[in-house]
Amino acid sequence: MNIELFIATRKEKGYSQKELAQGICTQATLSRLENNGQIPTLKILIQLCNRLELPLGELFPKVGTQNTQLRELLNQGEFYLITSEYESLRTLLEQLDLVEVTQAGLLLQYYYLLGFEMIFRQAPVTDVLFTFDKLLAEEHQHPQEIYQLLGYTGIGLVYLRESDLNKAEYYFNQVLERVYQYPTNTIEEVWKVLNMVFHCGLFYGEQKDYESSDGLFQYVFSLCAKNHVTYYLARAVFQLAQNALQAGQEKSRVLELLQDARAYAKVNDNQRLLKQINAQMQELTSTN
């Protein structure tokens, strides 16, 4: 209860404790409310508030409002992640109060987003791994398997960046063993599963295992289509084009995939990816 607001309103209205309590309760009851937070019966509290013309609801925090606002901000951060707006993600995370995030029970989502943001800004390896260690430790205390798998995905990306392929493969395999069974009942779950499958596809493409990589990107495509999510479509099809190019497929096939990727990127206004696609298409069409 917001006792400070109650007292401030009483003083603003010009009531002494004795005057406000008159005919409703004893002054001692009102004093215990203001000094010790000892709330009288609801009937008395309503009468006091009515005399002050203070809506009762103003004295109590709106249940879940702070949590909802923080969750919406973190979901916005997740949207920045899937649309490759990493600078916006970093700005958003820097503005959050970690104490509030902890109290709201949202540390898992926070560490997951922070770890991926650190990967894409090339933060030191030890710092990134420490962030994912905190994610896994928090997940151990508050089990949510999806965040464990996201942590493994992030660690796999770190080792891939460091060209430690054996370690990277270990973590990506941990993800692939379980990610297909994970439910996608909400849009946020879809985003998380897409994130994992997409980056597993990137890994196997880097290893020139194009069959596995293509299969994963096709799974991304089907997930997007099934759940009416377009943001990963352009990236998935673009990576299929990279696989086709590296595997020595016909130029016409690569260009076809790039044209599809460009169409999806335009729909999503993914300017960063559009620049990559246009540059590659120009390069391919200018060579014999």
Side-chain angles (χ1 to χ4, degrees), residues 43-272:
K43 181 178 179 180
I44 290 175
L45 185 59
I46 289 172
Q47 289 177 323
L48 293 171
C49 287
N50 285 343
R51 182 165 288 178
L52 292 174
E53 299 179 330
L54 173 65
L56 181 65
E58 294 296 318
L59 294 178
F60 296 94
K62 296 175 182 176
V63 177
T65 297
Q66 182 185 46
N67 288 13
T68 299
Q69 292 172 342
L70 283 172
R71 193 177 299 278
E72 287 177 355
L73 283 173
L74 288 169
N75 286 342
Q76 179 63 49
E78 196 149 353
F79 182 76
Y80 287 146
L81 177 62
I82 69 172
T83 54
S84 306
E85 298 177 58
Y86 305 125
E87 292 180 2
S88 296
L89 173 58
R90 183 178 185 181
T91 299
L92 184 150
L93 293 174
E94 287 175 344
Q95 293 173 349
L96 297 180
D97 185 324
L98 193 56
V99 173
E100 291 182 358
V101 172
T102 304
Q103 291 174 343
L106 297 172
L107 267 181
L108 286 168
Q109 190 176 12
Y110 173 82
Y111 283 138
Y112 143 58
L113 292 173
L114 178 61
F116 274 86
E117 184 276 322
M118 293 173 74
I119 289 172
F120 295 119
R121 68 174 158 92
Q122 301 290 308
V125 171
T126 52
D127 291 347
V128 183
L129 290 177
F130 183 57
T131 297
F132 283 118
D133 281 343
K134 289 191 286 188
L135 168 63
L136 294 174
E138 183 69 19
E139 191 276 337
H140 183 71
Q141 296 179 38
H142 308 283
Q144 293 187 46
E145 186 182 21
I146 189 68
Y147 286 104
Q148 182 186 59
L149 299 183
L150 286 163
Y152 288 163
T153 303
I155 294 171
L157 286 173
V158 172
Y159 284 123
L160 176 61
R161 190 181 84 182
E162 296 301 301
S163 299
D164 194 336
L165 303 182
N166 288 333
K167 289 190 177 87
E169 186 169 19
Y170 170 81
Y171 284 101
F172 284 120
N173 281 340
Q174 293 292 313
V175 175
L176 287 177
E177 286 178 3
R178 287 180 279 171
V179 71
Y180 290 105
Q181 286 76 45
Y182 198 83
T184 51
N185 298 320
T186 67
I187 191 63
E188 290 78 18
E189 289 174 343
V190 172
W191 286 350
K192 291 177 176 64
V193 170
L194 285 171
N195 184 351
M196 292 184 284
V197 178
F198 178 82
H199 287 107
C200 286
L202 282 181
F203 170 74
Y204 286 104
E206 290 280 338
Q207 303 315 299
K208 303 187 185 307
D209 181 354
Y210 300 121
E211 182 178 8
S212 298
S213 182
D214 285 357
L216 289 166
F217 288 129
Q218 292 291 351
Y219 182 54
V220 168
F221 192 93
S222 65
L223 267 180
C224 288
K226 179 181 177 182
N227 294 281
H228 309 290
V229 176
T230 63
Y231 303 107
Y232 268 98
L233 282 174
R235 296 173 67 187
V237 177
F238 178 70
Q239 291 305 140
L240 284 170
Q242 305 315 298
N243 289 352
L245 183 64
Q246 294 301 318
Q249 294 185 25
E250 293 290 333
K251 184 186 295 186
S252 59
R253 173 57 179 162
V254 178
L255 286 170
E256 180 185 359
L257 288 167
L258 287 172
Q259 288 168 351
D260 289 344
R262 184 169 63 178
Y264 292 128
K266 284 182 177 180
V267 169
N268 296 320
D269 195 28
N270 190 331
Q271 294 300 320
R272 179 177 299 187

